[in-house]
Amino acid sequence: MALPSNIDFAVRATDGLPTLLISEASKSYPKPDGIKFTYGTAGVRTKGDVLESTCFRLALISALRSKRMGGKVVGMMVTASHNPEPDNGLKAVDPRGEMLASNWEPYCTEAANALTDEELFAVLQRLIKADSINLQTPAVVVYAHDTRPSSPKLVKAIEAGLAAIGAEGRNGGLLTTPQLHYLVKAYNTQSTPDPYGEPTEEGYYKKLADAFQRAIADKPATSPLTVDCANGVGAISLQRFQKYLPASALQVRALRTSIDTAGALNNGCGADHVKTKQALPSGFEKEVAEGERLCSFDGDADRIVYYYLNGHASQKESFRLLDGDRIAALVADYISELVKRAGIADEIKIGCVQTAYANGGSTKYLSQRVPVVCTSTGVKHLHHAAESFDVGVYFEANGHGTVLFSDSAQSLIRGKISSSSPQGDSQSALSQLSNLIDLINQTVGDALSDMLLVEVVLRQRDWEPAHWDSLYTDLPNKLLKVIVPDRALFTTTDADRKLVTPDGLQQEIDKLVGKYLEGRSFVRPSGTEDCVRVYAEARIQQEMEELANKVAKLVTDAAKNA
Ligand code: G16
């Protein structure tokens, strides 16, 4: 269809950016007054009812990103993950399925905050110039959303943005965040010699189900796994996934699946609740038994933590958490063992990536086995650090993580699998590594894929949760949220482990920490919630509690006096 002549003029006048179409569409998406948006730890995140303009504008940026990447498919996920139900957010996904390149984040922040269309166009033009974007290149954006009531409106805003800039939009519908990441990578590798998988939701389930069945071989399920779905989209994906997996392979009992109950999402349940409260989801004490394997997804199913009871549910101490640190230990050990058995230990360098939140006990355990690096909070940081290893195991303590196999590691493993030689131990280890490559969602942390990975390792080792728990001892620890008038006053360095501002606060924290045996504490502003986070650990539980509370008090006082 030919464009009206005035629009054609606008296209030419701005070197290809259809400003008239965008201005016209943008009228329906005015920026709300008095709100400052930030592209933070995991995209933009705030109350869902103020995000339409941001979704519209980030759709424009995503289209430019696709053009910049030669027309490859990029992704947009509407979710606020672990946050409460009224929050929502947007995460942008790059063509290989990983998070948006960090040098584009400031443009997202500036575009979201532009007060007028002229300001918005100025941001877009700067980006186009800085990254030499050819606007004639076509753009394709796949988008999806979680179960939040505000999500459908935000999806409409994305569609309006894509239509205005002339990009092709593909609606993935209701998906988990990792499913959207999978789709992006699957689309972009579809016609390569090594496709990641069929670019459909069904393709995702089939890939995981097939790999899981190969990885458990003939070891049938012995006891069921109980999954807390956080009353979120994970409930749907788990239910759909089960259609592709015989019950004999894995018996799953899904709880907290009320996706239509107002206010239920992440409320008293989900991975964040279990990790931060170090307790069962509310009500679980009546529904679960001692020794049972339990796990929790978060609201968009990109995180998972495991746990079990080693006594009666009424005793608080019987709750035992198997968090992201423990998943990293379980998986790194298993992969190291397979690599040794496969006879490729000299060729494959395995490493682990953690953040400052990793328990000192886990860092000590892992460092004795593999190189360990620490990055700032946010999977985008861990992911990039993990890419420097042949096999990079990265997990945040909160359960967000995955394992990356470099292209050369994948080729080496698969190239050594022989179809003719008998299945000796090294061949079976190579086959199992190959199964894990397929089972693990290598684009981002994925609760479903990580759950299957943990189940494979436990099953292959014949381990109950208590055995896994016995690998090392955690130092008592606590994570507190401190609400302050302006969290931007708190800035950090050294992978979040030291405060730069407010002036002098880090020195006061250091003085305090020095008084406690194996004490450690750090403070950082959250990138997803309006709070400052305080982490503390120490050898003795009571001392750790005291340290955490005293550091929190220092934070409150510093914020007041600023
Ligand atoms: C997001 C990020 C995680 C991060 C978490 C908390 O998780 O993807 O990497 O650990 O936020 O971040 P912060 O402490 O800055 O609030 P999710 O699951 O909410 O997307």
Side-chain angles (χ1 to χ4, degrees):
M1 187 186 81
L3 290 169
S5 58
N6 59 337
I7 292 175
D8 190 34
F9 170 74
V11 169
R12 271 186 281 112
T14 57
D15 282 340
L17 195 64
T19 48
L20 276 189
L21 284 176
I22 295 172
S23 287
E24 193 52 38
S26 150
K27 285 183 192 149
S28 306
Y29 301 102
K31 179 189 175 290
D33 289 338
I35 296 182
K36 175 141 180 18
F37 300 101
T38 309
Y39 199 97
T41 314
V44 179
R45 212 171 275 193
T46 183
K47 294 279 167 270
D49 54 4
V50 297
L51 268 170
E52 281 175 89
S53 63
T54 299
C55 286
F56 175 83
R57 291 160 181 214
L58 293 203
L60 305 176
I61 301 238
S62 292
L64 292 180
R65 184 73 189 156
S66 171
K67 288 175 190 286
R68 171 66 185 84
M69 304 309 281
K72 292 214 166 109
V73 179
V74 301
M76 296 179 79
M77 181 70 201
V78 176
T79 179
S81 198
H82 76 275
N83 290 45
E85 190 169 292
D87 288 5
N88 215 325
L90 204 57
K91 300 181 188 179
V93 180
D94 258 0
R96 289 189 303 143
E98 76 279 35
M99 302 289 187
L100 174 70
S102 57
N103 62 332
W104 275 53
E105 293 181 1
Y107 294 105
C108 294
T109 298
E110 286 177 44
N113 290 311
L115 296 177
T116 59
D117 284 349
E118 287 65 36
E119 273 187 36
L120 174 62
F121 293 138
V123 175
L124 300 181
Q125 293 292 6
R126 254 192 300 119
L127 174 58
I128 291 164
K129 195 160 171 235
D131 252 44
S132 313
I133 297 169
N134 178 358
L135 290 175
Q136 304 312 314
T137 308
V140 190
V141 180
V142 56
Y143 50 92
H145 62 93
D146 71 9
T147 55
R148 282 159 214 271
S150 56
S151 290
K153 258 186 160 182
L154 302 182
V155 165
K156 282 221 162 65
I158 288 176
E159 288 171 338
L162 296 179
I165 199 167
E168 179 190 333
R170 295 183 189 168
N171 188 350
L174 186 59
L175 293 179
T176 68
T177 294
Q179 285 179 316
L180 190 265
H181 286 251
Y182 164 91
L183 275 188
V184 171
K185 184 160 182 173
Y187 274 128
N188 289 317
T189 54
Q190 208 173 358
S191 43
T192 66
D194 191 17
Y196 190 58
E198 197 186 295
T200 59
E201 186 184 355
E202 191 187 20
Y204 167 89
Y205 297 128
K206 276 192 194 155
K207 183 179 177 188
L208 294 193
D210 290 352
F212 181 74
Q213 289 177 88
R214 279 184 271 119
I216 53 163
D218 50 359
K219 286 190 161 242
T222 45
S223 57
L225 167 69
T226 295
V227 185
D228 153 25
C229 299
N231 294 318
V233 64
I236 299 171
S237 74
L238 183 59
Q239 189 197 31
R240 290 179 184 164
F241 172 69
Q242 284 177 277
K243 291 193 195 130
Y244 297 86
L245 195 70
S248 57
L250 182 68
Q251 299 164 38
V252 173
R253 183 167 68 121
L255 298 179
R256 304 301 176 268
T257 56
S258 309
I259 56 163
D260 295 321
T261 306
L265 179 68
N266 293 327
N267 193 352
C269 57
D272 202 60
H273 168 94
V274 170
K275 169 69 183 161
T276 46
K277 302 249 185 284
Q278 302 190 16
L280 292 174
S282 315
F284 257 42
E285 52 288 348
K286 295 186 212 85
E287 297 165 90
V288 301
E290 185 178 339
E292 200 178 318
R293 284 189 327 288
L294 312 167
C295 67
S296 286
F297 293 179
D298 72 339
D300 63 341
D302 61 357
R303 300 192 204 175
I304 185 169
V305 292
Y306 267 71
Y307 43 98
Y308 71 105
L309 296 172
N310 68 0
H312 195 270
S314 60
Q315 295 156 328
K316 199 176 172 288
E317 332 62 80
S318 66
F319 172 83
R320 300 289 309 165
L321 181 64
L322 300 157
D323 61 5
D325 295 341
R326 296 221 177 241
I327 298 175
L330 182 80
V331 169
D333 278 356
Y334 184 61
I335 294 178
S336 300
E337 185 193 304
L338 289 175
V339 163
K340 272 187 212 132
R341 279 175 40 205
I344 51 174
D346 291 340
E347 292 152 278
I348 300 269
K349 188 177 169 205
I350 302 173
C352 271
V353 187
Q354 301 188 310
T355 71
Y357 291 110
N359 193 280
S362 82
T363 309
K364 190 168 163 199
Y365 176 86
L366 282 167
S367 309
Q368 286 161 355
R369 288 157 177 81
V370 289
V372 178
V373 292
C374 177
T375 69
S376 301
T377 294
V379 278
K380 56 190 178 188
H381 301 296
L382 289 101
H383 192 95
H384 290 304
E387 284 176 325
S388 64
F389 298 106
D390 298 311
V391 179
V393 179
Y394 77 80
F395 274 90
E396 293 185 296
N398 61 23
H400 205 153
T402 186
V403 183
L404 305 184
F405 290 80
S406 68
D407 288 347
S408 58
Q410 298 195 32
S411 310
L412 178 81
I413 290 163
R414 292 197 158 142
K416 282 185 181 273
I417 295 176
S418 154
S419 49
S420 54
S421 70
Q423 276 279 309
D425 188 49
S426 70
Q427 280 294 315
S428 96
L430 287 164
S431 298
Q432 186 67 336
L433 283 166
S434 172
N435 296 334
L436 298 189
I437 290 169
D438 289 336
L439 181 65
I440 294 167
N441 185 342
Q442 295 188 49
T443 60
V444 79
D446 181 333
L448 183 60
S449 156
D450 288 339
M451 176 189 97
L452 298 172
L453 175 62
V454 168
E455 290 298 305
V456 165
V457 184
L458 294 180
R459 190 96 55 95
Q460 289 295 348
R461 292 209 182 287
D462 282 321
W463 280 5
E464 293 299 322
H467 197 141
W468 175 13
D469 193 13
S470 70
L471 290 183
Y472 63 84
T473 307
D474 268 329
L475 288 169
N477 64 91
K478 187 156 234 163
L479 183 58
L480 295 175
K481 287 184 198 179
V482 183
I483 309 296
V484 297
D486 181 9
R487 71 189 200 275
L489 290 175
F490 295 78
T491 58
T492 62
T493 182
D494 188 21
D496 290 335
R497 290 174 287 199
K498 296 259 174 263
L499 278 171
V500 176
T501 60
D503 265 1
L505 181 54
Q506 185 60 51
Q507 285 81 340
E508 291 189 59
I509 295 171
D510 291 343
K511 250 191 265 163
L512 253 182
V513 167
K515 294 181 185 161
Y516 299 93
L517 193 63
E518 292 186 64
R520 187 167 71 90
S521 179
F522 66 91
V523 170
R524 58 174 283 279
S526 164
T528 61
E529 296 175 61
D530 194 6
C531 68
V532 167
R533 300 200 195 280
V534 170
Y535 176 85
E537 65 182 34
R539 169 66 74 83
I540 299 158
Q541 175 81 27
Q542 211 184 341
E543 292 197 355
M544 177 280 294
E545 306 263 357
E546 189 180 296
L547 174 61
N549 292 332
K550 284 191 171 170
V551 174
K553 169 93 174 44
L554 285 178
V555 168
T556 311
D557 292 348
K560 241 189 253 158
N561 301 331

